[in-house]
Amino acid sequence: MNTYTITVEPIGAEIECREDQTVLDACLRDGIWLPHACTHGTCGTCKAQVLDGELDLGDASPYALLDSEREEGAALLCVARPRSDVTIEGEVDVEDGIDVHPVRDYTGTVVELTDVAPTVRRLRLRLDRPIPFNPGQYVQLTTPAGETRPYSLAVAPADTTTIELHVKRSPDGAATEGWIFKDLAVGDVVPVSGPYGQFFLRAARDEPILMLAGGTGLAPMKAMLRHIENIDSGHEVVLYHGVPAAADLYEHTWLQEFADTHEWFTYRPALSQEEFDGRTGRVPALLAQDYPRASGNVAYICGSPAFVGDTMKALMKARLFPRNIYREDFFDSADRAAGSNVVRSPLIRR
């Protein structure tokens, strides 16, 4: 198998990349932290310019990488594979006070599979060794068919040997209906890689925190809450969890108990189809009622592209600007096929 040299400008770093490996994967494993989010050619976050050499552009969504961009030499690094030595111009992300953890491979053994809501299953894996990560990042699981799927870590970095994932069942999903909700069993061995993603807690920021989760977007928020508890940061945190009905409020009892025992934490369930504590509505609508002015906070949003986009709009209308908002979009096959019309801006932190 051929191996090629990838040169990353403007830093001049040179790394080796196999022909069956994506450029992003090679960079992340070498500790070069390029912008990325979905890692499946859907969101466009990892778009970069190819200055020299040849890449197989892979399965890049035509909505994330336009034909005109392809013609001008752009590529999505999360799905692009080298066919020669290549030079790319990448925006290397370095934040003061943030640890960069190179991507590594792990072997996970299933120790728990629990249905926690009609369409959500909790999956816990014991890894062969600890995985370092920032609270809010995700890992990728490799299915028996050799496909990879991303799932956010729902544990704090202090709990690095046994990890917890929250998996939403997708209709006809190859990884969910075809595996995790079908044949996967306690004791099975699962290949795991990570950590990935730039959606994670910035603990050095001292503003009050708004956590805005849709569905299983709760997973990274749970990791952040556990970490804030562990480091006793003093942050004030308000969490909204948006789901259709009360039956979908998984982790509800734990969150209530966490709120009862931590004065700095407030929990606000948001049901779009049922009443809860006298209120009904989606997170963006309830947020607008509660925060006509949201400036002075820092926000973390995680959920479907529609959820993230609508919540972004509500926050910006309330005068909270992109530099104070971090987001993670959960893309599925339907989003990939249809494209996404959510708010996009290079100033929005991911």
Side-chain angles (χ1 to χ4, degrees):
M1 182 177 296
N2 293 326
T3 298
Y4 299 103
T5 299
I6 308 296
T7 303
V8 182
E9 298 292 1
I11 63 174
E14 293 186 355
I15 63 171
E16 298 303 303
C17 183
R18 303 186 313 273
E19 64 181 356
D20 67 339
Q21 183 180 23
T22 69
V23 174
L24 178 65
D25 184 68
C27 289
L28 295 182
R29 290 177 183 273
D30 209 66
I32 299 174
W33 208 243
L34 295 173
H36 66 285
C38 76
T39 66
H40 283 82
T42 300
C43 71
T45 304
C46 66
K47 192 178 300 176
Q49 195 70 24
V50 181
L51 303 180
D52 189 41
E54 183 181 353
L55 289 176
D56 178 343
L57 297 183
D59 191 21
S61 164
Y63 300 97
L65 186 65
L66 303 177
D67 288 342
S68 58
E69 293 174 316
R70 296 168 190 254
E71 293 171 0
E72 293 171 358
L76 300 187
L77 301 184
C78 69
V79 292
R81 293 173 170 81
R83 293 297 175 260
S84 70
D85 292 344
V86 174
T87 300
I88 62 169
E89 185 174 29
E91 182 183 346
V92 179
D93 268 356
V94 178
E95 292 187 52
D96 291 339
I98 298 297
D99 293 328
V100 174
H101 304 291
V103 170
R104 296 290 183 261
D105 295 318
Y106 302 85
T107 299
T109 301
V110 179
V111 295
E112 181 188 342
L113 277 168
T114 304
D115 291 330
V116 294
T119 60
V120 179
R121 178 165 285 188
R122 179 189 294 116
L123 168 59
R124 295 177 73 239
L125 298 163
R126 185 177 61 250
L127 303 182
D128 56 331
R129 65 189 191 282
I131 175 173
F133 63 94
N134 296 317
Q137 290 190 287
Y138 67 89
V139 295
Q140 298 215 54
L141 307 186
T142 300
T143 73
E147 299 178 343
T148 59
R149 292 292 186 274
Y151 297 103
S152 293
L153 291 155
V155 292
D159 309 315
T160 57
T161 301
T162 298
I163 61 173
E164 176 181 322
L165 313 174
H166 301 164
V167 182
K168 181 179 179 181
R169 188 169 194 160
S170 298
D172 301 319
T176 56
E177 283 196 345
W179 180 44
I180 295 175
F181 284 80
K182 183 184 178 185
D183 299 323
L184 189 64
V186 171
D188 285 357
V189 173
V190 179
V192 179
S193 65
Y196 297 93
Q198 292 159 293
F199 178 76
F200 50 80
L201 179 72
R202 271 67 176 184
R205 300 194 61 158
D206 58 8
E207 302 98 326
I209 295 172
L210 291 173
M211 294 184 179
L212 309 158
T216 52
L218 180 63
M221 308 304 187
K222 183 178 179 180
M224 294 182 196
L225 286 174
R226 284 297 200 191
H227 185 63
I228 291 170
E229 177 187 35
N230 289 342
I231 65 175
D232 193 21
S233 69
H235 285 95
E236 294 290 326
V237 181
V238 177
L239 166 68
Y240 289 79
H241 185 204
V243 294
D248 303 304
L249 279 177
Y250 77 95
E251 300 289 15
H252 178 61
T253 299
W254 178 81
L255 287 165
Q256 286 182 314
E257 293 174 350
F258 196 83
D260 290 342
T261 55
H262 298 80
E263 293 184 358
W264 49 265
F265 176 61
T266 302
Y267 169 46
R268 295 178 180 171
L271 307 186
S272 60
Q273 298 177 7
E274 294 179 5
E275 188 173 284
F276 192 94
D277 285 346
R279 306 178 81 187
T280 302
R282 297 178 66 237
V283 167
L286 299 182
L287 183 66
Q289 295 173 20
D290 297 342
Y291 290 88
R293 285 293 181 267
S295 56
N297 293 277
V298 60
Y300 296 86
I301 315 172
C302 189
S304 70
F307 174 88
V308 172
D310 291 345
T311 306
M312 279 287 308
K313 292 174 185 177
L315 286 171
M316 288 192 285
K317 187 174 181 180
R319 310 294 291 175
L320 188 66
F321 297 108
R323 64 180 176 272
N324 295 316
I325 301 172
Y326 299 90
R327 60 186 279 181
E328 182 86 290
D329 305 64
F330 282 175
F331 292 88
D332 60 19
S333 56
D335 297 314
R336 182 178 178 81
S340 177
N341 62 356
V342 298
V343 176
R344 295 287 184 211
S345 167
L347 297 178
I348 295 170
R349 299 176 182 271
R350 291 182 176 275

